[in-house]
Amino acid sequence: MRLRRILFALSLLLLCALAAYAAWRSAGLRAWLSAYETARADALTQQPDAARAHYRRALRINLHDAQARLQLARLELDQHRPEHAYLELQTLTELHPQLAEAWIALAQLMQERGLLEEPETALTQALQAAPDNVQALQLRAVLRHRLGAHYSAALDLRRALAASPASPT
């Protein structure tokens, strides 16, 4: 009888702990969603400082939020803060190496800064994540052409044409 009471009390305690965890998790999710949605609204209404603060808040709640980090990087670029954008994109590619869009944005930023070999490496990473990404293939072809790797550039362009949807005639 005593064992039953102890097991019942432990079960009740476990149930309360699970309910408390679920409530805490739900509150965190609501806070993240609120910060992310507010940041998007601020960005649309041309309030970059407020949007930046809300994206950062969303990232403090969920460090691995790829979309919030990508939007923050774009906001930083729009505000002519390439160093901040670079840091966000670098972090994004470390956290989400499978996200081709992040590698492409990083490569474009590096190319705008006059780099050639580093963007090619980033585009190669993008193509490892998404082998048929037409944008990455085209950008890498242009970079390879500038680097003098004409045959590789031609191969990338052929792959891009093969991967792109058929154009209407």
Side-chain angles (χ1 to χ4, degrees):
M1 188 69 155
R2 181 175 166 96
L3 182 60
R4 267 186 163 166
R5 285 183 185 169
I6 292 173
L7 287 176
F8 180 73
L10 286 175
S11 299
L12 192 58
L13 184 63
L14 180 62
L15 187 61
C16 289
L18 287 174
Y21 175 76
W24 172 80
R25 183 86 172 144
S26 176
L29 183 60
R30 282 194 306 271
W32 167 82
L33 186 58
S34 171
Y36 183 74
E37 291 300 322
T38 305
R40 288 183 60 204
D42 289 339
L44 290 174
T45 59
Q46 303 299 319
Q47 297 177 23
D49 293 333
R52 184 179 300 111
H54 286 107
Y55 279 130
R56 292 200 188 283
R57 181 169 175 246
L59 289 169
R60 275 194 306 274
I61 294 168
N62 181 3
L63 174 70
H64 296 280
D65 182 0
Q67 286 306 310
R69 195 168 299 279
L70 186 59
Q71 294 303 322
L72 178 58
R74 288 182 177 150
L75 177 69
E76 297 292 10
L77 284 173
D78 291 344
Q79 295 299 305
H80 308 288
R81 296 167 44 124
E83 297 84 8
H84 295 274
Y86 178 81
L87 292 174
E88 294 300 335
L89 290 170
Q90 189 72 22
T91 302
L92 183 58
T93 57
E94 289 172 9
L95 292 173
H96 300 281
Q98 76 286 359
L99 192 60
E101 188 178 4
W103 288 108
I104 293 169
L106 182 61
Q108 288 174 322
L109 179 60
M110 289 189 284
Q111 186 179 2
E112 288 171 6
R113 297 286 165 224
L115 300 173
L116 293 177
E117 292 176 8
E118 293 84 355
E120 182 191 12
T121 303
L123 291 168
T124 300
Q125 291 292 327
L127 290 167
Q128 285 179 355
D132 294 329
N133 187 302
V134 175
Q135 183 184 13
L137 286 165
Q138 291 172 340
L139 290 171
R140 191 172 73 168
V142 170
L143 284 172
R144 285 181 166 178
H145 178 72
R146 287 183 185 164
L147 289 168
H150 303 292
Y151 182 72
S152 296
L155 290 177
D156 281 344
L157 284 177
R158 284 190 190 134
R159 280 181 59 198
L161 286 172
S164 65
S167 59
T169 56

